[in-house]
């Protein structure tokens, strides 16, 4: 069952848990804010729920609590950061701040990081630039999950692209895997016992796997050597644009793993503690191109023209960021949604760390 | 009928035609090189064939032969260019050179242009950066053609994204409309009397228009107020990722029309000579991130691992740029392909301009 909880209290609980792991006060604050923000904008799959996975990683040494991100190469407009397997979120926040600082001084900042960890939603980092009135981009690679067009084996990650830009009334935030859907969406459908409504998973390069009860095939999604993988955005044939989603996934590899000389998707194996995903962070100050207010006003007017289009009955045209803004308003007022299983697991972590959690979840 | 012609001779013919219009020797050379390159890499829809459209535009004043691109705002890493409705290709070459110059000096160069014209394939400009050992990106907006998800009317252009990066044996060149297919592909299928193999065109937001004989609906694609439009990459439903193609199309608007304060897709009407598309050009020097040779070697190895994947029988895995490289090799040796109708039209232009064309097309 899913219940609503006060976001401020849960944020405090997360803060205490991360402090309990040994992160500093500031670090714990940053992680808690990031995870709660994710739940506030309605992306429950990547917020509080992910604490279970991070807890495993902290305990098995995949996430190294005391390691700090390090700038290994730098120019006025760029940096390469080695995250040394610290927490992905902290690396992300550090790297995006660096990109923003460079953009403040030189107009553009571009940071690529290696040896990082799972950093949650890419949109969070893009949005950090938006909060400074800038354009933000962030991408992440991951272990192989996407089938390159015609391939019977995956070799590109789900490799999301996030882009944020100030607009009124809502920030434009695009955050999308370059596969048709991310891995997590498949898991949600399996849990719910629902069949997949479109070609999300393919076997042998082109056969759709749509039934939630295709247990063997769906389990094989996690097996890097299997003949099952996620369809790129655009499906598995050129006719539907498969090569475009595949190409975009490769471009993400360039900005993350290639430029940072980190691990490409095919080098990331879940059990190896000495490899990790790579990420990229870009901030661009619109002022270098013109009057920022005028640019934002023009963009807002364009987005409004899109919203105002006639549409399929009952299905309004939704601009990227609008759903998140509505969720934020709702969750801020009525609490974030946490399912019982997740809550039990999180309170279990708290208990193990000796944290009195009862006051945060009543 | 399609015949093969010597690319060097046709390039000379194009040069003479553009000189005939009143372009300078250097400008004529640049246009001729650009158009021939497009045919050499096998994209006949955007090379010599487009000269007919440009000829119309030059005669009706949409393309203004003597106008020069002008930098209206500039920083070390950025520029806004007003193309003043000069030839799109010349604006593109000028703007990408500017981006490359900035990248040579400061690592990154980002140029956005307004009041431009049709500039051919976006990949040409991205590839200019590749030829300098850099990463190149280019995008272009166009009049409304894409249906935002659920909308029954188009309001985003086909808005291609091009990305090039040095790699061996072939440059990685990605060049793709953010619609499932570009407008030109529909025209090719209509000419051939072939039905569309997937959802490329939709009516009323979600009904596929697949038959080449749906003349009325397909003609309506060109009518900005009609209920027919191109499906975004990802189709017309969220289940298939429609919102992703739509969002990518909007991002292209930002880098082209919004930052340059030019015309967004919905402001571009074909008959209005005082509006024009916008373009963006980015060059990034990989050296600011690390050893360029090592970066290119790492990327090349990753691409080779993708090529080497097992695949659907008879369908090898093709990396973006491989088809173009093969076409280039073939056309350079055996000539570019021009159909009789195009040849007749081009020689018609030459004749009108008083150019002795026979020697170039024998």
């Amino acid at each position: 069952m899913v219940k609503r909880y006060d976001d401020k209290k849960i944020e405090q609980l997360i803060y205490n848990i991360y402090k309990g792991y040994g992160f500093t006060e500031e670090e714990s604050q940053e992680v808690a804010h990031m995870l709660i923000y994710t739940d506030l904008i309605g992306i429950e799959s990547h917020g509080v729920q992910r604490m279970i996975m991070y807890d495993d990683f902290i305990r098995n040494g995949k996430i190294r609590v005391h390691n700090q991100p390090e700038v290994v190469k730098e120019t006025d407009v760029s940096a390469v950061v080695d995250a040394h397997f610290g927490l992905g979120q902290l690396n992300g926040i550090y790297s995006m701040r660096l990109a923003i600082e460079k953009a403040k001084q030189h107009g553009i900042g571009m940071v690529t990081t290696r040896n990082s960890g799972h950093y949650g939603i890419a949109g969070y980092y893009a949005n950090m630039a938006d909060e400074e009135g800038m354009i933000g981009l962030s991408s992440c690679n991951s272990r192989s999950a996407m089938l390159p067009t015609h391939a019977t084996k995956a070799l590109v990650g789900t490799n999301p692209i996030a882009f944020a830009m100030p607009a009124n009334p809502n920030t434009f935030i695009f955050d999308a895997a370059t596969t048709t859907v991310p891995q997590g969406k498949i898991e949600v459908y399996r849990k719910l016992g629902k069949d997949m409504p479109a070609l999300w998973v393919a076997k042998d390069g082109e056969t759709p796997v749509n039934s939630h009860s295709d247990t063997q095939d769906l389990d094989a999604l996690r097996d890097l050597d299997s003949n099952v993988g996620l369809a790129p955005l655009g499906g598995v044939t050129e006719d539907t644009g498969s090569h475009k989603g595949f190409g975009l996934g490769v471009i993400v590899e360039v900005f993350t793993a290639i430029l940072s000389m980190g691990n490409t998707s095919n080098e990331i194996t879940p059990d190896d503690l000495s490899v990790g995903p790579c990420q990229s962070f870009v901030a661009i100050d619109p002022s270098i191109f013109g009057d920022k207010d005028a640019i934002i006003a023009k963009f807002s007017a364009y987005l409004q023209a899109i919203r105002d289009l006639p549409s399929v009955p009952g299905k309004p045209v939704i601009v990227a960021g609008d759903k998140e803004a509505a969720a934020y308003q709702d969750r801020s007022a009525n609490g974030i949604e946490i399912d019982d299983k997740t809550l039990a697991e999180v309170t279990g972590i708290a208990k193990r760390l000796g944290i009195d959690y009862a006051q945060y979840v009543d």
Side-chain angles (χ1 to χ4, degrees), chain A residues 1-18:
Chain A
M1 228 185 81
V2 171
K3 285 189 210 139
R4 296 272 192 160
Y5 296 88
D6 184 278
D7 63 291
K8 293 280 179 297
K9 287 186 182 175
I10 300 293
E11 189 168 345
Q12 189 63 38
L13 174 60
I14 302 174
Y15 169 83
N16 287 338
I17 288 174
Y18 277 83

Side-chain angles (χ1 to χ4, degrees), chain A residues 328-340:
Chain A
Y328 191 91
Q329 200 167 14
D330 168 59
R331 268 69 165 175
S332 302
N334 307 312
I336 58 171
E337 297 187 344
I338 305 178
D339 65 81
D340 291 349

Side-chain angles (χ1 to χ4, degrees), chain A residues 44-350:
Chain A
E44 284 84 12
S45 58
H46 280 66
V48 171
Q49 207 236 300
R50 287 287 176 170
M51 290 175 68
I52 322 307
M53 185 175 87
Y54 302 142
D55 185 63
D56 283 345
F57 289 168
I58 287 166
R59 286 193 288 169
N60 74 9
K62 194 173 177 70
I63 293 173
R64 298 169 204 175
V65 174
H66 300 290
N67 285 12
Q68 300 295 323
E70 177 195 7
V71 174
V72 292
K73 189 170 168 77
E74 192 169 20
T75 75
D76 282 352
V77 295
S78 68
V80 178
V81 169
D82 190 323
H84 295 304
F85 306 104
L87 190 79
Q89 275 81 355
L90 293 174
N91 174 51
I93 292 165
Y94 174 87
S95 300
M96 192 64 186
R97 280 199 186 130
L98 188 58
I100 290 169
E101 275 316 304
K102 289 177 182 296
K104 279 184 181 169
Q105 286 185 49
H106 305 285
I108 300 174
M110 194 167 192
V111 176
T112 178
T113 71
R114 65 184 182 224
N115 300 328
S116 187
H118 190 279
Y119 80 158
I121 53 166
Y124 182 78
Y125 310 98
N127 192 53
M128 282 174 64
D130 165 79
E131 286 178 358
E132 302 281 343
M134 294 188 183
I135 292 172
L137 289 123
S138 184
S139 279
C140 179
N141 79 342
S142 68
R143 64 175 176 166
S144 299
M146 179 202 288
L147 296 167
T149 308
H150 301 152
T152 57
K153 211 182 122 182
L155 207 111
V156 181
T158 53
N159 295 10
I161 298 171
F163 172 94
M165 165 140 176
N168 294 307
N170 303 326
T171 299
F172 178 87
I173 306 190
F174 175 89
D175 184 358
T178 49
T179 46
T180 301
V181 295
Q183 190 93 34
K185 193 129 183 178
I186 310 291
E187 285 151 22
V188 169
Y189 271 68
R190 290 185 77 176
K191 270 191 197 168
L192 296 173
K194 280 172 70 176
D195 289 341
M196 271 70 86
L199 196 158
W200 293 353
V201 179
K203 187 178 172 173
D204 296 325
E206 49 187 21
T207 310
V209 177
N210 282 95
S211 170
H212 72 275
S213 58
D214 283 343
T215 308
Q216 204 181 337
D217 286 338
L218 293 175
D219 285 347
L221 262 181
R222 292 282 184 192
D223 174 1
L224 299 180
D225 287 318
S226 82
N227 60 341
V228 178
L230 294 175
L233 172 61
V236 295
T237 64
E238 290 206 3
D239 285 342
T240 50
S242 173
H243 54 300
K244 299 188 180 189
F246 160 38
L248 290 169
V250 172
I251 293 171
V252 169
E253 294 285 338
V254 169
F255 285 108
T256 57
I258 303 294
L259 291 180
S260 74
M261 292 295 281
N263 297 119
T264 46
S265 288
N266 55 332
E267 294 168 339
I268 301 172
T269 46
D271 299 328
D272 187 341
L273 304 186
S274 67
V275 298
C278 301
Q279 286 129 9
S280 79
F281 306 87
V282 182
I284 303 165
D285 182 356
S287 308
I288 63 175
F289 296 102
D291 179 80
K292 193 195 284 193
D293 292 339
I295 287 171
I296 293 172
K298 185 174 176 70
F299 187 43
S300 302
Y302 178 63
L303 296 179
Q304 195 54 47
I306 292 176
R307 287 188 195 97
D308 291 344
L309 284 173
S311 72
V312 176
K315 295 181 183 171
V317 182
I318 295 169
V319 165
D322 286 359
K323 272 185 192 169
E324 290 78 0
Y328 191 91
Q329 200 167 14
D330 168 59
R331 268 69 165 175
S332 302
N334 307 312
I336 58 171
E337 297 187 344
I338 305 178
D339 65 81
D340 291 349
K341 183 167 174 285
T342 299
L343 190 81
E345 288 174 323
V346 170
T347 53
I349 296 170

